[in-house]
Amino acid sequence: MELESSWLLHTLYAFCFILLLLLLLLSPRLALFLYLLRLKLWCSCEICEAYLSLSWAKSFDNLCDWYAHLLKCSPTKTILIHALGNIITANPENIKYMLKTRFDNYPKGKPFSLILGDFLGRGIFNVDGDMWRFQKNMASLELDRSSIRSYAFEIVRCEIEKRLLPLLVSFSGKEDGALDLQDVFRRFSFDSICQFSFGLDPECLQLSLPLSEFAVAFDLASRISAERAMAVSPLVWKVKRKLNIGSEKKMKEAIRIIDMLAQEVMRQKREMGLSTHKDLLSRFMRTVEDETYLRDIVISFLLAGRDTVASALTSFFWLLAKHPEIQSAIQAEADRVLGPKQEPKSFEQIEQLHYLQAAVYESMRLYPPIQFDSKFCQQDDVFPDGTFVKRGTRVTYHPYAMGRMEEIWGPDCLEFKPERWLRDGVFFSENHFKYPIFQGGFRVCLGKEMALMEIRSVCLSLLRRFHFKLVSPYHSTPRFSPGLTSTFRDGLLVWVREKR
C-alpha cells in the first residue's frame, strides 16, 4: 500500500511538472503571472511592487531612468531589488571594491556565462579565471602595438571617405528622405570591425544599404541573448531551447550562420597564410589552434567594437543636434589644430583634439553605450557603504545612473558640458570608478583607444561637411530598446544637408 501511494505521488508530481512546462510554452502571459505571484509572496515592498506591476512606467520612459531616480534617493546610492535578488549601486567606492579591491570575489559568474554561452562561447566577455587572463594578456599585447593602431586608423579613414561620406551626400537636401543615423552607424562600425577583426568586408555601408546575412544573424543573436537575461524565469528559455521552438529556434539558426561564416573566414586565412595579414584574427590564429575557441574570441571583440561604437555615435549626434554651439567649438578646434578642411593624418593627430575628446566623454557620461554591468558575489561580503552582499547575489553597477548624480558631478550633472573634462584647455580623465564607461580595475576595456579614435574620426568628418536636423526633436530623453547595449527605440531619424 505504501509503495502504491508513493508511486501515485511521484506520478502526480511528474504530471504537474509536465503541465507547468506546457503552460510556460503555450502561454507566456500565464508564465509571467505564475512567476510574479511567486515573487509577490516573497516581497511586497514599494520598489518590488513598482517593478512587478510596471507602475514605474507611468513616470519614466526607461527602466534605467527609474533606477537612476531610486539610486539618487538612496543615502548610500545603493538599492536592493528583492524580487530579482539584485543589488544595484552607483557608489564609486562600491564599484572600486568590486572591480579592483575584491575583484576575485565578483566574477561574471555562471548564470551570465550560460545566458551568453551560445552566442559568445568562451570569449573574453563571458569567462573568468585563467581563460579570461589568457585572452586579456594576448589581446593587450596585440592592441597596444603601434602597427595595429595604424592599421585600425587606415580602415576607419577608408570607410569614412569611400562609403560614409558618399552615402550622406546621396541623402543631402532630400526633405522627404530622412536617414536613420543609428542604422548608418551600426553598418559603419560593423564594416570597420569586421575588416579589423576578420580581414572581411561585409560591405553593409554601400549606397544601396544592403543587408548582410552575417549582420542580421549577429543582431538576432544579440537581441535574443538580451531577452534571455531579462526573462522572468530562466526556465522559459531553457525549455524553449531544449525543444527548439520559438525564439530559441531562431537563435540556433543565427548561431549556425555566425559559426559557418566564421569558420569559412578562418579556412581561407589558413589557405592564404597568416604572416602577411594585419587583422586581429590572423594574429590570434598564430597562437591558438582551436577553431571554436578562435570563433568565440573574435565574436566577443566584434560585439564590443560594433555595438558600443554605434551606440556612442548615436547618442553623441542626438546631443550635438540640440547643442549647435558645441558643434561650432569642435569645428573651430579642428581648424586651429589641423588646419581648415584638413583631415587628421594619424592616430596621434586625433589625440591633439582635446575639446572633441571632452565632448565624446561628456556624451558617454550622460548616455553610456553599456548602461549597467553585473557580477555575481562568490562569498558573503560587505560593501564599503555598509551593504551586506550574500553569496550568489547578482551585483550591478549602473554608469547611466552615476552620470546623473550631483554628489559625483555637481549640481549641473544633467547638462551636456564638455568643459568639465578640460583644465586650461587640456583634456583630463576622471578615475575609472567614478566614470566606469570602460569598466575599471583588471577588466578595463582593451579596445578603448581604438574605439575613441573611431568615434572622433566619424564625428569630425561629418560635422565639417554636413548639417543634421532631428526629424523628431521633442523628446527630452531618448527611449531605449532592451539589449546588451544602449539602442534608441525608434532610431535616430535626421534630415541631412551638405555644407557649401
Side-chain angles (χ1 to χ4, degrees):
M1 189 69 177
E2 288 182 4
L3 287 174
E4 184 177 351
S5 298
S6 177
W7 179 84
L8 288 173
L9 186 60
H10 281 86
T11 302
L12 181 61
Y13 284 158
F15 175 77
C16 291
F17 179 72
I18 293 171
L19 181 61
L20 177 59
L21 290 182
L22 288 173
L23 288 172
L24 288 171
L25 294 171
L26 297 176
S27 179
R29 289 186 180 180
L30 179 58
L32 176 62
F33 171 76
L34 292 174
Y35 186 73
L36 296 184
L37 179 62
R38 186 188 73 176
L39 293 178
K40 190 169 179 64
L41 294 175
W42 289 349
C43 180
S44 59
C45 73
E46 184 178 349
I47 292 178
C48 289
E49 285 279 359
Y51 179 84
L52 297 176
S53 67
L54 301 181
S55 63
W56 60 265
K58 296 176 182 177
S59 303
F60 300 92
D61 289 331
N62 303 293
L63 183 62
C64 59
D65 290 308
W66 180 55
Y67 281 156
H69 168 73
L70 295 176
L71 288 163
K72 282 193 286 186
C73 295
S74 167
T76 60
K77 308 309 172 196
T78 301
I79 60 173
L80 172 60
I81 310 293
H82 306 93
L84 300 178
N86 188 10
I87 292 175
I88 305 176
T89 186
N91 186 318
E93 291 302 316
N94 289 348
I95 295 168
K96 181 179 180 180
Y97 189 77
M98 289 169 56
L99 300 183
K100 185 178 181 181
T101 308
R102 291 297 310 278
F103 172 76
D104 290 335
N105 197 40
Y106 294 92
K108 294 297 291 184
K110 291 183 179 179
F112 274 132
S113 295
L114 184 61
I115 288 169
L116 300 176
D118 291 330
F119 185 28
L120 300 182
R122 296 171 292 165
I124 190 170
F125 303 114
N126 204 38
V127 291
D128 297 298
D130 291 340
M131 194 170 290
W132 167 76
R133 290 186 182 89
F134 165 72
Q135 293 181 55
K136 177 198 172 187
N137 292 338
M138 187 163 64
S140 60
L141 180 66
E142 296 295 342
L143 294 174
D144 284 341
R145 296 179 189 272
S146 60
S147 59
I148 202 167
R149 290 191 175 194
S150 297
Y151 176 63
F153 179 80
E154 292 169 10
I155 288 173
V156 170
R157 290 307 315 167
C158 185
E159 188 73 10
I160 290 172
E161 295 293 337
K162 294 186 176 180
R163 291 186 183 153
L164 183 57
L165 295 180
L167 174 67
L168 293 177
V169 167
S170 72
F171 275 84
S172 177
K174 292 183 178 180
E175 293 297 331
D176 60 342
L179 181 66
D180 182 359
L181 270 187
Q182 179 170 256
D183 179 55
V184 169
F185 291 147
R186 286 167 70 85
R187 291 169 180 272
F188 171 86
S189 56
F190 191 70
D191 277 0
S192 299
I193 197 64
C194 277
Q195 292 176 66
F196 175 71
S197 297
F198 287 119
L200 164 74
D201 185 1
E203 300 183 349
C204 290
L205 203 57
Q206 297 283 9
L207 289 176
S208 60
L209 295 178
L211 284 176
S212 162
E213 183 182 29
F214 185 79
V216 172
F218 195 88
D219 280 340
L220 183 61
S222 178
R223 178 176 61 79
I224 294 175
S225 294
E227 289 174 356
R228 284 180 175 181
M230 294 181 292
V232 293
S233 169
L235 180 62
V236 177
W237 69 263
K238 287 180 180 179
V239 171
K240 289 166 71 176
R241 184 178 64 169
K242 185 71 174 177
L243 299 179
N244 193 31
I245 61 174
S247 59
E248 289 299 318
K249 183 177 182 179
K250 295 178 182 177
M251 177 71 151
K252 187 176 181 180
E253 176 61 20
I255 296 299
R256 185 189 68 79
I257 293 171
I258 292 170
D259 290 348
M260 181 176 63
L261 291 178
Q263 289 165 8
E264 177 61 19
V265 170
M266 288 186 283
R267 184 190 67 78
Q268 291 180 15
K269 288 204 165 294
R270 285 208 169 91
E271 287 183 355
M272 292 186 293
L274 306 175
S275 59
T276 59
H277 294 275
K278 300 178 182 178
D279 60 90
L280 196 61
L281 177 58
S282 295
R283 294 168 185 264
F284 273 101
M285 288 177 70
R286 294 171 198 148
T287 306
V288 179
E289 294 184 358
D290 184 338
E291 290 201 3
T292 302
Y293 193 19
L294 281 169
R295 174 263 184 211
D296 296 343
I297 292 170
V298 177
I299 291 299
S300 293
F301 280 101
L302 189 58
L303 176 68
R306 184 252 191 163
D307 287 6
T308 53
V309 168
S311 173
L313 282 168
T314 301
S315 301
F316 193 27
F317 273 81
W318 183 81
L319 283 166
L320 288 176
K322 295 172 174 289
H323 295 85
E325 74 284 359
I326 293 178
Q327 292 187 44
S328 298
I330 291 172
Q331 294 177 74
E333 178 189 56
D335 290 344
R336 185 180 67 255
V337 175
L338 304 176
K341 299 183 181 180
Q342 295 298 309
E343 296 295 333
K345 301 294 193 298
S346 66
F347 206 105
E348 290 71 27
Q349 268 197 320
I350 289 182
E351 293 182 336
Q352 297 174 22
L353 301 172
H354 294 278
Y355 188 86
L356 175 58
Q357 175 84 322
V360 170
Y361 264 64
E362 179 71 349
S363 172
M364 289 193 292
R365 179 185 71 84
L366 289 169
Y367 298 105
I370 298 176
Q371 296 175 342
F372 62 89
D373 189 30
S374 296
K375 315 292 183 187
F376 278 84
C377 180
Q378 283 196 320
Q379 300 295 332
D380 289 356
D381 205 350
V382 179
F383 272 167
D385 68 1
T387 302
F388 174 70
V389 187
K390 186 175 177 60
R391 176 184 179 182
T393 300
R394 176 181 174 182
V395 184
T396 299
Y397 65 93
H398 210 288
Y400 182 91
M402 293 180 73
R404 287 152 177 75
M405 295 288 173
E406 289 191 15
E407 290 83 353
I408 299 176
W409 299 103
D412 60 353
C413 63
L414 298 181
E415 295 180 27
F416 180 42
K417 188 178 177 182
E419 290 76 14
R420 76 175 78 243
W421 297 91
L422 298 171
R423 287 180 181 169
D424 298 324
V426 177
F427 173 81
F428 77 97
S429 178
E430 291 287 354
N431 75 72
H432 293 151
F433 312 110
K434 178 178 175 180
Y435 183 80
I437 306 303
F438 299 99
Q439 293 208 49
F442 298 104
R443 274 194 182 263
V444 67
C445 176
L446 300 175
K448 169 186 172 182
E449 296 305 324
M450 275 179 282
L452 288 169
M453 176 274 295
E454 187 173 351
I455 294 166
R456 285 175 289 178
S457 296
V458 171
C459 292
L460 189 60
S461 293
L462 268 54
L463 291 181
R464 283 179 139 186
R465 289 172 173 82
F466 301 97
H467 292 289
F468 297 96
K469 181 180 179 182
L470 297 179
V471 173
S472 301
Y474 307 111
H475 292 304
S476 59
T477 302
R479 297 178 180 182
F480 300 106
S481 296
L484 298 179
T485 54
S486 172
T487 303
F488 282 28
R489 188 186 308 171
D490 302 314
L492 182 61
L493 293 176
V494 298
W495 285 300
V496 182
R497 181 164 58 85
E498 192 174 3
K499 293 180 179 178
R500 299 298 182 185

